[in-house]
């Protein structure tokens, strides 16, 4: 960023404002921990405020956009153009009676909406919104993303199990099966990205892309594809929302939830969506940089524009693609994405080795790798889909395996003798 | 462990970990026990952070809180008698005695030993150091562990396959 003045009014980077405020506090002779705590509080408040406003805005945008795509109008009654619809929804959720079913496990039932909220909001701590706008730039940022993302499964299980409802339990089981399968894809894909850049710190990955003036998106198209699909699964949206497939299992793991407790699940899903979009922007699309434009336009504005753009892809796919069946979704993870992302790791590792050993300059190496990887991606996707599509008919699964297995288990009854 | 923040964090996290671990033993409902086990895993991860072992801390969350606990939850849900919870046992007193003895021995050793303290600076990046150690000096145990995991995975798949599934359903 251009060192124009870097004073507190330099709004291209809110890090300046916070920095001068902390300087001022330090000048007043406060002990060292005071600025530390205050900067943390400012960061947390800013992130919370931003997420709440974004979620409120996108509830309206998504419903209107999906309405347009599906050739209907969408909400247009509350306020001008239905703009106050999200506010009305939020108020309705707040004032609803919080019903707890009689046989529910009360402690876990009340705890689950809180627990589901924590991992999704904590993810934003390591995301660099701008040059100096990251709450905690961890050394192991990418691993932190995966680890925190994996905690979602527990919250979902708590919700599904404590509801004491078979649809909720089946929904939770489905979600866990799905999340665990796609977590593998996510890890492999991120491994390739980290391997190539050579750092797990998200700030370093953004800097690397800025230094080499290239987005990882062009170097690892296969990785981006894997992450987009795994992200759609993790944020639990259509076409991969089998966890709450209305036509099959009512609403999945949050069947029994109403009022603001349901609101928590709803908002956590939106936040997971923003988090996935933020990770895609940071890792694959250059984060807050845009080939020099960040000198003139605030970095956080570039970042948010990209983020909303990526999130729009998910809205789009939700409106246009049909929901997958659970066995199709699992087969897609294990038979299609997993081999592809394994090959991706090997190809990227080989290229990294070649780059180091042959001492190529980045001007020679990166275009070459970009062309190779795009070709590899096209050939692998096309070829592997062809191979899977030409299997002998007796080897193609006819029924969802998980539901078949679950059908033989009798909960609360003695096990059937085999 | 010089600055106040680390000390305060250490005691808070220790209290959390111990309370959660006690919950695992005391609580009757098995699923509640697993949830407090997860809480204690997260507390241990926090303790690793106070030791500036960030890679180990994140791995602790990923493997124990995220993966192992889900495995335990599944094991409980799929066990037909799992909903009975923790039952009364006549071994309560001997178990308490044994646990106290183990705790006393461990505590005595920890306090009595003259621990070697290194003067070197903390690692800036633990992940790369661990990676180099695993693929350099300790490459053989690392590879053996991965082969072991593969064998365990194949064994599990073989065990749960229904009869006659091998020749194609």
């Amino acid at each position: 960023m251009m060192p124009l003045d870097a004073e507190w009014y330099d709004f291209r980077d809110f890090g300046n404002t916070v920095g001068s405020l902390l300087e001022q506090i330090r000048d007043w002779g406060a002990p060292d921990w005071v600025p530390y705590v205050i900067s943390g509080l400012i960061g947390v408040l800013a992130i919370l405020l931003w997420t709440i406003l974004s979620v409120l805005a996108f509830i309206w945008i998504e419903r209107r956009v999906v309405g347009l795509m599906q050739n209907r109008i969408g909400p247009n009654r509350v306020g001008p153009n239905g703009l106050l619809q999200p506010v009305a929804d939020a108020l309705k959720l707040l004032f609803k009676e919080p019903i707890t079913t009689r046989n529910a496990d009360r402690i876990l039932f009340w705890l689950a909406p809180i627990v589901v909220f924590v991992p999704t909001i904590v993810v934003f701590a390591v995301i660099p919104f701008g040059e100096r706008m990251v709450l905690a730039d961890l050394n192991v940022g990418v691993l932190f993303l995966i680890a925190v993302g994996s905690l979602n499964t527990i919250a979902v299980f708590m919700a599904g199990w404590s509801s004491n409802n078979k649809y909720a339990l089946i929904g939770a089981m489905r979600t866990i099966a799905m999340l665990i399968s796609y977590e593998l894809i996510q890890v492999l894909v991120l491994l390739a990205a980290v391997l190539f850049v050579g750092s797990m710190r998200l700030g370093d990955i953004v800097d690397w892309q800025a230094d080499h003036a290239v987005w990882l998106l062009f170097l690892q198209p296969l990785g981006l594809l894997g992450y987009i699909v795994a992200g759609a699964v993790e944020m639990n949206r259509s076409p991969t929302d089998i966890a709450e497939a209305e036509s099959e299992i009512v609403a999945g793991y949050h069947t029994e939830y109403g009022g603001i407790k349901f609101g928590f699940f709803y908002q956590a899903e939106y936040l997971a969506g923003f988090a996935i979009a933020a990770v895609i922007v940071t890792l694959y699309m250059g984060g807050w940089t845009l080939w020099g434009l960040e000198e003139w336009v605030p970095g956080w504005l570039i970042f948010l524009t990209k983020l909303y753009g990526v999130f729009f892809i998910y809205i789009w796919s939700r409106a246009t693609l049909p929901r997958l069946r659970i066995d199709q979704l699992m087969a897609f993870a294990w038979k299609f994405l997993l081999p592809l992302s394994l090959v991706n790791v090997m190809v990227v590792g080989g290229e990294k080795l070649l780059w180091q050993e042959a001492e190529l300059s980045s001007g020679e190496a990166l275009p070459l790798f970009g062309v190779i990887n795009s070709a590899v991606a096209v050939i692998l996707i096309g070829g592997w889909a062809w191979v899977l599509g030409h299997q002998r008919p007796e080897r193609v699964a006819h029924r969802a395996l998980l539901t078949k297995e679950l059908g033989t288990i009798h909960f609360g009854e003695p096990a059937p003798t085999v | 462990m010089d600055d106040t923040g680390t000390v305060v964090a250490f005691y808070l996290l220790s209290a959390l970990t111990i309370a959660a671990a006690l919950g695992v033993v005391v609580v009757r409902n098995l699923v509640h026990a697993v949830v407090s086990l997860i809480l204690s895993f997260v507390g241990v991860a926090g303790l690793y952070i106070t030791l500036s072992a960030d890679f180990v801390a994140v791995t602790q969350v990923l493997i124990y809180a995220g993966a192992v606990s889900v495995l335990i939850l599944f094991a409980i849900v799929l066990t037909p008698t799992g909903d009975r919870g923790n039952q009364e046992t006549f071994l309560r007193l001997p178990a308490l005695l044994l646990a106290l003895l183990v705790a006393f021995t461990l505590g005595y050793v920890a306090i009595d030993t003259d621990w070697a303290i290194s003067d070197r600076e903390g690692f800036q990046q633990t992940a790369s150091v661990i990676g180099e150690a695993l693929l350099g000096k300790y490459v053989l145990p690392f590879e053996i562990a991965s082969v072991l995991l593969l064998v365990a995975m194949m064994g599990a798949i073989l065990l749960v396959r229904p009869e006659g599934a091998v020749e194609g359903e």
Side-chain angles (χ1 to χ4, degrees):
Chain A
M1 179 160 295
M2 206 166 46
L4 182 67
D5 31 24
E7 294 290 333
W8 61 270
Y9 48 80
D10 186 2
F11 71 96
R12 294 174 311 172
D13 183 357
F14 287 133
N16 293 328
T17 319
V18 178
S20 4
L21 179 70
L22 295 183
E23 279 300 314
Q24 192 62 50
I25 292 172
R26 224 170 264 131
D27 284 350
W28 288 336
D32 275 347
W33 57 270
V34 174
Y36 188 74
V37 169
I38 288 180
S39 64
L41 277 179
I42 290 175
V44 170
L45 281 178
I47 287 174
L48 275 177
L49 200 66
W50 168 72
T51 50
I52 288 169
L53 287 179
S54 287
V55 168
L56 280 181
F58 260 86
I59 288 173
W60 180 78
I61 293 173
E62 172 159 14
R63 290 178 68 178
R64 291 291 286 195
V65 166
V66 169
L68 281 176
M69 285 176 178
Q70 296 173 342
N71 210 358
R72 55 190 174 83
I73 298 170
N76 66 343
R77 293 287 140 181
V78 193
N81 279 320
L83 261 176
L84 294 178
Q85 185 69 44
V87 182
D89 282 351
L91 285 178
K92 182 196 77 177
L93 286 180
L94 272 173
F95 287 117
K96 260 189 170 178
E97 182 191 359
I99 298 171
T100 309
T101 45
R102 192 185 304 144
N103 288 328
D105 186 304
R106 297 191 80 85
I107 303 173
L108 292 189
F109 191 78
W110 279 82
L111 216 56
I114 304 167
V115 175
V116 82
F117 202 71
V118 175
T120 39
I121 197 96
V122 164
V123 166
F124 291 103
V126 292
I127 305 280
F129 287 84
E131 186 169 18
R132 293 196 294 155
M133 287 168 64
V134 49
L135 192 56
D137 205 2
L138 296 183
N139 275 327
V140 285
V142 175
L143 201 64
F144 178 83
L145 291 174
I146 299 168
V148 169
S150 74
L151 290 180
N152 263 333
T153 46
I154 293 159
V156 168
F157 182 87
M158 281 163 70
W161 182 82
S162 67
S163 298
N164 209 353
N165 172 325
K166 59 183 137 187
Y167 296 115
L169 190 61
I170 291 174
M173 292 273 196
R174 281 180 164 199
T175 320
I176 293 172
M178 201 170 75
L179 282 176
I180 289 177
S181 313
Y182 278 90
E183 208 173 275
L184 224 65
I185 315 289
Q186 207 180 343
V187 170
L188 284 173
V189 160
L190 292 183
L191 176 67
V194 167
L195 193 67
F196 201 67
V197 174
S199 172
M200 287 202 282
R201 189 196 290 268
L202 289 170
D204 284 354
I205 295 176
V206 174
D207 289 345
W208 188 91
Q209 295 177 78
D211 288 345
H212 293 82
V214 65
W215 291 355
L216 266 186
L217 150 72
F218 303 117
L219 296 173
Q220 298 185 7
L222 206 56
L224 180 68
L225 174 88
Y227 197 83
I228 286 181
V229 177
V233 170
E234 191 171 318
M235 72 174 85
N236 202 356
R237 289 172 73 86
S238 205
T240 57
D241 64 340
I242 54 157
E244 42 174 281
E246 300 93 342
S247 51
E248 299 164 24
I249 47 170
V250 192
Y253 60 92
H254 54 61
T255 301
E256 297 287 357
Y257 283 91
I260 194 61
K261 280 185 285 182
F262 168 74
F264 267 85
F265 283 110
Y266 192 71
Q267 195 171 12
E269 257 168 44
Y270 257 97
L271 289 187
F274 288 136
I276 298 289
V279 174
I280 289 175
V281 169
T282 309
L283 285 176
Y284 291 102
M285 298 174 68
W288 48 269
T289 63
L290 192 74
W291 297 308
L293 193 69
E294 71 271 10
E295 307 246 335
W296 309 100
V297 179
W300 47 273
L301 213 57
I302 296 176
F303 180 84
L304 290 185
T305 314
K306 286 180 184 173
L307 192 157
Y308 295 139
V310 172
F311 193 68
F312 184 77
I313 296 176
Y314 283 114
I315 297 179
W316 196 0
S317 65
R318 182 192 152 178
T320 46
L321 292 175
R323 177 186 295 135
L324 290 158
R325 236 168 40 210
I326 180 163
D327 60 323
Q328 292 169 332
L329 197 65
M330 300 297 278
F332 189 61
W334 292 99
K335 291 182 185 165
F336 193 81
L337 282 177
L338 187 69
L340 255 58
S341 40
L342 273 173
V343 173
N344 185 38
V345 171
M346 276 158 67
V347 169
V348 168
E351 281 170 355
K352 177 81 177 172
L353 202 65
L354 185 73
W355 191 9
Q356 273 181 356
E357 296 298 317
E359 287 172 0
L360 298 168
S361 74
S362 61
E364 295 163 359
L366 293 179
L368 179 71
F369 293 162
V371 172
I372 290 178
N373 284 350
S374 307
V376 165
V378 171
I379 292 169
L380 272 181
I381 293 171
W384 194 236
W386 190 86
V387 169
L388 288 181
H390 283 75
Q391 277 185 328
R392 280 177 289 152
E394 67 265 24
R395 306 198 64 181
V396 180
H398 296 289
R399 209 157 32 135
L401 262 181
L402 187 70
T403 44
K404 199 170 83 182
E405 299 297 328
L406 270 178
T408 63
I409 294 163
H410 298 259
F411 292 102
E413 288 170 26
T417 46
V418 181
Chain B
M1 285 234 304
D2 299 327
D3 57 315
T4 359
T6 317
V7 175
V8 172
F10 172 77
Y11 281 109
L12 282 179
L13 286 167
S14 305
L16 175 82
T17 312
I18 291 172
L22 268 180
V24 179
V25 189
V26 173
V27 165
R28 282 293 161 92
N29 189 320
L30 278 181
V31 175
H32 289 186
V34 176
V35 171
S36 43
L37 184 67
I38 296 165
L39 193 61
S40 107
F41 285 151
V42 174
V44 171
L47 285 176
Y48 285 139
I49 289 178
T50 62
L51 299 170
S52 53
D54 45 6
F55 180 77
V56 182
V58 176
T59 315
Q60 164 90 9
V61 174
L62 180 64
I63 305 290
Y64 283 93
V68 171
S69 56
V70 174
L71 207 67
I72 301 174
L73 283 173
F74 260 97
I76 291 173
V77 171
L78 297 182
T79 306
T81 51
D83 56 344
R84 282 191 209 149
N86 284 337
Q87 305 279 312
E88 288 288 331
T89 168
F90 60 91
L91 288 174
R92 180 179 282 181
L93 208 64
L96 194 66
L97 267 177
L98 190 67
L100 278 178
L101 276 176
V102 170
F104 175 75
T105 317
L106 286 180
Y108 183 76
V109 169
I111 291 168
D112 195 54
T113 310
D114 191 15
W115 296 102
I117 296 171
S118 167
D119 285 335
R120 68 184 299 285
E121 288 275 305
F123 288 105
Q124 281 305 309
Q125 283 225 350
T126 49
S128 52
V129 181
I130 292 174
E132 274 159 24
L134 277 184
L135 289 179
K137 194 175 170 189
Y138 301 106
V139 66
L140 200 60
F142 180 69
E143 292 295 334
I144 290 174
S146 49
V147 171
L148 185 72
L149 286 176
L150 184 69
V151 170
M153 201 165 71
M154 282 160 62
I157 292 173
L158 200 68
L159 279 178
V160 297
R161 277 204 114 157
E163 296 277 328
V166 188
E167 299 96 65
E169 286 156 283

